[in-house]
Amino acid sequence: PSIMKKTLLLLPALMLAGCQMLNYQEPTGEDTAAVVFTGNEAAQPVVCVPGRGFKDTKISLAVKPWDTNAFNELFKTMRKAEQVPVTVAADGQTRIGVVYNERDTDMRRNHCRVAVQFNAQADTRYFAHFTRNEAGQCGLEVRGEEGVQADAVPVDWDCP
């Protein structure tokens, strides 16, 4: 029985470690830029890791139904936030995206995903704002801080 107990204790630790490897690993060093994801809907920001595909950020986007501090602890526990900051490699081919996935009141699946590519300049902060309209169309607008142009262009859901 003691071998079984050890195995059962080890299993959640392995599962947790496995989940973390699926998340986007932020680069370190000097040639990086910051992207802050915001949105009008709860969704999952992703960053393209060349050769590995789009990876989820550790925290997902959330929207408070009304303004109260009660949601702050809950969001922290659930790994959600109204703003999701992430570090990306400074690159002319930086690709980011957002995945929206929800069930509506009729339990029909409602989902979309949108990706853009832009020239992320080192030591610059960008804001990526996710929108979803009544028709269910998704958009992702990227703008630079203090008038810096992001020139983000929509791209296929592809991470070369």
Side-chain angles (χ1 to χ4, degrees), residues 19-131:
C19 290
Q20 289 180 342
M21 291 190 327
L22 298 175
N23 282 342
Y24 173 65
Q25 299 296 313
E26 296 186 25
T28 55
E30 293 177 16
D31 289 340
T32 59
V35 175
V36 179
F37 286 92
T38 58
N40 68 352
E41 293 278 355
Q44 177 63 59
V46 295
V47 178
C48 171
V49 178
R52 293 220 168 105
F54 284 102
K55 298 293 180 188
D56 292 354
T57 57
K58 290 183 175 89
I59 297 173
S60 61
L61 274 175
V63 177
K64 287 183 185 176
W66 54 88
D67 197 27
T68 171
N69 289 336
F71 285 101
N72 296 349
E73 270 317 299
L74 179 65
F75 282 177
K76 198 182 296 180
T77 303
M78 295 174 65
R79 302 187 87 117
K80 295 179 180 289
E82 290 181 287
Q83 293 191 345
V84 178
V86 65
T87 302
V88 298
D91 185 354
Q93 310 288 304
T94 298
R95 283 188 183 208
I96 57 172
V98 175
V99 177
Y100 173 84
N101 202 358
E102 196 175 84
R103 294 196 185 275
D104 62 20
T105 50
D106 300 328
M107 293 310 288
R108 285 191 307 252
R109 261 182 93 180
N110 226 330
H111 63 272
C112 63
R113 56 189 187 182
V114 59
V116 296
Q117 179 174 305
F118 68 104
N119 180 4
Q121 297 175 14
D123 301 321
T124 304
R125 185 173 14 187
Y126 298 91
F127 294 92
H129 187 72
F130 171 70
T131 55

